[in-house]
């Protein structure tokens, strides 16, 4: 079982819709959670971090964390074609500072 | 300010050769990480430096891989006797301190022929 799981997609949404990306993790002691966006051929770009249960909003992005369910999600409101990318969920566990990544979810926003 | 930089951007080498990949972190960042990303997968951790010392090298796949950060800034990832399976994008990230958010460089695409 992978430590961080994401649906590989593609997730296709129409322009202007809400895109919902999900991630589960196995290490119950994990403390920090991150969402990275990766365009094709580029490196991961940090877009959100979340450390405590609940919602965290930044512009069109909302990260949600539920430690009891070991679940973290990213909502993108008013999706734009420029949001089309692979979204990587990353988790920092209790031991060490390295990130463990999921395989990423490919998002396609259609005009 | 300047982000993380990596050189070269692309490296093609023959099986069995030695390669060095360089990472220059964001100025003032004490923590530096190397990851490796294969096509269609998320990055996988290789090694973490806090200052000059390797705080965690548990992700290095075997003893052909080695990394240094002699002055606590620039780091070099060294791969001996390269194999075709080493082909991947090698990513470097840095953070202000260990627990902080990590920012990635553009990566080095290594191709072993």
């Amino acid at each position: 079982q992978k430590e961080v799981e994401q649906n590989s997609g593609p997730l296709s949404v129409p322009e202007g819709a809400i895109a919902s990306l999900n991630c589960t993790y196995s290490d119950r002691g994990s403390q920090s959670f991150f969402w990275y966006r990766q365009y094709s051929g580029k490196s991961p770009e940090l877009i959100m971090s979340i450390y405590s249960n609940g919602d965290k909003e930044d512009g069109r992005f909302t990260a949600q964390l539920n430690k009891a369910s070991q679940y973290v999600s990213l909502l993108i409101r008013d999706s734009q074609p420029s949001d089309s990318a692979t979204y990587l969920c990353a988790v920092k566990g209790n031991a060490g500072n390295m990130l463990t990544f999921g395989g990423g979810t490919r998002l396609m926003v259609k005009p | 300010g300047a982000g993380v930089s990596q050189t070269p951007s692309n490296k093609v080498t023959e099986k069995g050769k030695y390669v060095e990949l360089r990472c220059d972190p964001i100025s003032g960042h004490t923590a530096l990480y190397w990851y490796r990303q294969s096509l269609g997968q998320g990055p996988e951790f290789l090694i973490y430096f806090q200052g000059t010392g390797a705080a965690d090298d548990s992700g290095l796949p075997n003893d052909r891989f080695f990394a240094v950060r002699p002055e606590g800034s620039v780091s070099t990832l060294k791969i001996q006797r390269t194999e075709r399976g080493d082909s991947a994008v090698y990513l470097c990230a840095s953070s202000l301190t260990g627990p902080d958010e990590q920012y990635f460089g553009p990566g080095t695409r290594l191709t072993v022929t």
Side-chain angles (χ1 to χ4, degrees), chain A:
Chain A
Q1 180 189 3
K2 283 195 67 175
E3 295 181 37
V4 180
E5 298 264 12
Q6 295 181 258
N7 188 318
S8 62
L11 172 67
S12 183
V13 301
E15 183 174 357
I18 295 175
S20 178
L21 305 161
N22 305 313
C23 171
T24 59
Y25 60 94
S26 60
D27 181 358
R28 188 169 286 279
S30 296
Q31 299 293 320
S32 309
F33 307 86
F34 306 89
W35 284 98
Y36 286 83
R37 177 175 63 199
Q38 187 170 30
Y39 292 113
S40 181
K42 301 295 185 182
S43 63
E45 173 192 7
L46 179 67
I47 54 172
M48 289 288 288
S49 58
I50 187 165
Y51 303 96
S52 54
N53 281 328
D55 293 2
K56 179 182 177 182
E57 186 175 319
D58 183 0
R60 295 187 296 113
F61 298 100
T62 299
Q64 300 175 316
L65 175 61
N66 184 326
K67 288 186 179 180
S69 300
Q70 295 174 240
Y71 179 92
V72 58
S73 64
L74 178 71
L75 301 178
I76 306 174
R77 289 181 299 281
D78 188 24
S79 295
Q80 301 297 309
S82 59
D83 295 326
S84 298
T86 295
Y87 289 80
L88 296 162
C89 173
V91 176
K92 187 177 292 186
N94 213 15
N97 288 314
M98 79 287 280
L99 296 176
T100 300
F101 284 84
T105 298
R106 185 173 160 222
L107 173 67
M108 297 172 58
V109 181
K110 298 193 171 180

Side-chain angles (χ1 to χ4, degrees), chain B residues 21-60:
Chain B
L21 312 178
R22 175 189 166 109
C23 171
D24 199 343
I26 294 171
S27 178
H29 280 197
T30 63
L32 184 147
Y33 307 79
W34 284 98
Y35 294 83
R36 178 168 72 173
Q37 187 174 25
S38 299
L39 194 62
Q41 299 180 21
E44 292 181 313
F45 168 74
L46 296 176
I47 187 169
Y48 156 51
F49 286 90
Q50 181 58 53
T52 60
D56 186 342
D57 65 357
S58 62
L60 294 177

